[in-house]
């Protein structure tokens, strides 16, 4: 059995291993839970839920969106003094200047601005688009391995392409700051590997050629003064697919071999940093 005692791996697991093999061990093998709620996480989850509903119904319910966000903020106490003090102490422990995040009304406005802009963005970038699948689950065989690849594709759509043709797009929603992603992040292969693996396994499953399927990230920018949504298309050809699959296989081989090296350059935002699990 694979050391995690699961019959599958996901992209997030591959990414955790690449960033720090020891963190992967703590999370997926030792199963030590490091619960670290954040505004960014709940904001992203809430928008993903409403985007899934939009793909299925073409409807947007701003009131429900705001109610869902408000409920998450109240449950986690994000705007309370206790939570703010905790953020300050954690920042000081990392030797950083404390950063105070915006209060709930700002997050509500950002969410509304992004969701309201989605229909026009989709129509402009994907003419006559239709939804093939929202939150499409992958659970696919990895060739020559007994472990499967598991993942959820945010959006699989089809649209007009070069007048007489139609094209499939594999899309992943990402929330980002007001300026979107910088050049370094756009070039980061570890980020591109996610959409590359999704495309490879999806098109193989449904028997599409590589050039028949496009891939990209849709960035929903918090607090952008204009253009709150940005499209980052990723060129995923056969070589990129192979490179992503090689990363996946390297992870499987390394974990099976029991190599759990610590990456000291990845400690800064690690939930285990300076805990009893990793000093």
């Amino acid at each position: 059995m694979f050391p995690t005692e699961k019959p599958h791996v996901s992209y997030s697991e591959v990414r955790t291993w690449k960033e720090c093999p020891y963190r992967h061990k703590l999370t997926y093998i030792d199963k030590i839970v490091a619960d670290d709620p954040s505004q960014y996480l709940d904001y992203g989850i809430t928008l993903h839920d409403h985007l899934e509903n939009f793909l299925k119904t073409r409807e947007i319910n701003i009131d429900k969106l705001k109610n869902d966000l408000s409920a998450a903020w109240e449950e986690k106490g994000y705007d309370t003094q206790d939570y703010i003090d905790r953020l300050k102490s954690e920042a000081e422990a990392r030797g950083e200047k404390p950063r105070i995040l915006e209060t709930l009304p700002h997050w509500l406005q950002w969410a509304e601005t992004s969701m309201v802009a989605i229909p026009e963005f989709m129509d402009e970038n994907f003419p006559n688009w239709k939804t093939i699948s929202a939150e499409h689950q992958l659970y696919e065989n990895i060739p020559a391995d007994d472990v499967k690849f598991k993942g959820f594709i945010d959006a699989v759509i089809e649209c007009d392409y070069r007048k007489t043709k139609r094209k499939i797009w594999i899309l992943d929603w990402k929330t980002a700051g007001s300026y979107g992603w910088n050049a370094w992040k756009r070039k980061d292969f570890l980020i591109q590997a996610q959409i590359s693996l999704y495309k490879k396994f999806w098109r193989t499953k449904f028997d599409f050629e590589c050039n028949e399927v496009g891939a990209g990230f849709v960035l929903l920018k918090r607090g952008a003064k204009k253009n709150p949504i940005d499209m980052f298309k990723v060129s995923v050809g056969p070589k990129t697919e192979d490179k992503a699959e090689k990363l996946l296989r390297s992870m499987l081989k390394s974990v099976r071999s029991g190599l759990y090296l610590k990456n000291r350059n990845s400690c800064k935002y690690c939930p285990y940093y300076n805990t009893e699990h990793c000093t």
Side-chain angles (χ1 to χ4, degrees), residues 30-260:
D30 298 342
K31 305 187 189 312
I32 298 172
V33 178
D35 187 16
D36 189 24
S38 74
Q39 290 97 320
Y40 297 112
L41 179 60
D42 279 307
Y43 181 79
I45 290 174
T46 304
L47 258 65
H48 272 72
D49 290 343
H50 283 261
L51 287 164
E52 179 184 354
N53 181 69
F54 168 71
L55 290 176
K56 294 177 177 178
T57 66
R58 299 288 181 113
E59 297 178 355
I60 296 175
N61 188 331
I62 297 299
D63 288 338
K64 187 176 187 308
L65 171 67
K66 291 183 174 181
N67 287 337
D68 290 346
L69 276 175
S70 298
W73 255 245
E74 182 176 356
E75 178 186 353
K76 306 292 176 59
Y78 287 137
D79 287 347
T80 63
Q81 191 60 48
D82 286 344
Y83 182 78
I84 293 172
D85 290 342
R86 198 191 98 186
L87 288 184
K88 287 181 178 179
S89 63
E90 290 176 351
E92 290 169 356
R94 295 193 298 265
E96 299 176 354
K97 182 179 179 181
R99 180 185 179 191
I100 305 303
L101 299 180
E102 300 288 358
T103 54
L104 176 60
H106 292 87
W107 296 87
L108 295 177
Q109 184 59 58
W110 299 338
E112 178 178 0
T113 300
S114 293
M115 288 302 301
V116 168
I118 275 288
E120 182 178 353
F121 167 84
M122 293 295 293
D123 291 340
E124 288 183 354
N125 287 272
F126 308 105
N128 295 318
W129 66 278
K130 71 173 185 178
T131 301
I132 294 178
S133 182
E135 283 298 304
H136 178 87
Q137 181 174 358
L138 294 169
Y139 201 74
E140 312 306 317
N141 293 322
I142 300 173
D145 205 300
D146 58 359
V147 174
K148 293 181 179 290
F149 178 79
K150 181 180 180 180
F152 289 89
I153 303 176
D154 290 339
V156 183
I157 65 169
E158 183 183 42
C159 67
D160 290 346
Y161 179 69
R162 293 182 179 175
K163 296 183 179 179
T164 60
K165 296 182 179 181
R166 300 278 285 175
K167 186 169 185 174
I168 304 295
W169 281 92
I170 304 293
L171 301 176
D172 191 83
W173 314 114
K174 297 291 187 187
T175 59
S178 59
Y179 294 100
W181 285 356
N182 58 29
W184 176 85
K185 196 163 187 176
R186 289 172 180 263
K187 293 178 181 179
D188 186 357
F189 178 73
L190 189 55
I191 291 175
Q192 297 181 15
Q194 177 185 11
I195 207 75
S196 301
L197 288 169
Y198 286 177
K199 174 180 172 177
K200 173 65 179 291
F201 283 105
W202 186 90
R203 73 169 188 83
T204 300
K205 178 179 181 178
F206 293 101
D207 196 25
F208 280 87
E209 296 295 327
C210 192
N211 61 3
E212 295 178 307
V213 182
F217 296 100
V218 178
L219 309 180
L220 295 94
K221 299 184 288 186
R222 301 180 301 272
K225 294 182 179 179
K226 59 180 181 179
N227 301 326
I229 304 177
D230 191 14
M231 177 71 183
F232 173 42
K233 297 179 180 179
V234 181
S235 179
V236 182
K239 290 184 178 180
T240 304
E241 287 184 345
D242 290 345
K243 185 177 179 181
E245 187 174 342
K246 183 178 180 181
L247 173 66
L248 171 60
R249 291 186 180 280
S250 295
M251 176 265 183
L252 295 173
K253 181 179 180 180
S254 175
V255 173
R256 283 189 174 111
S257 68
L259 294 175
Y260 308 123

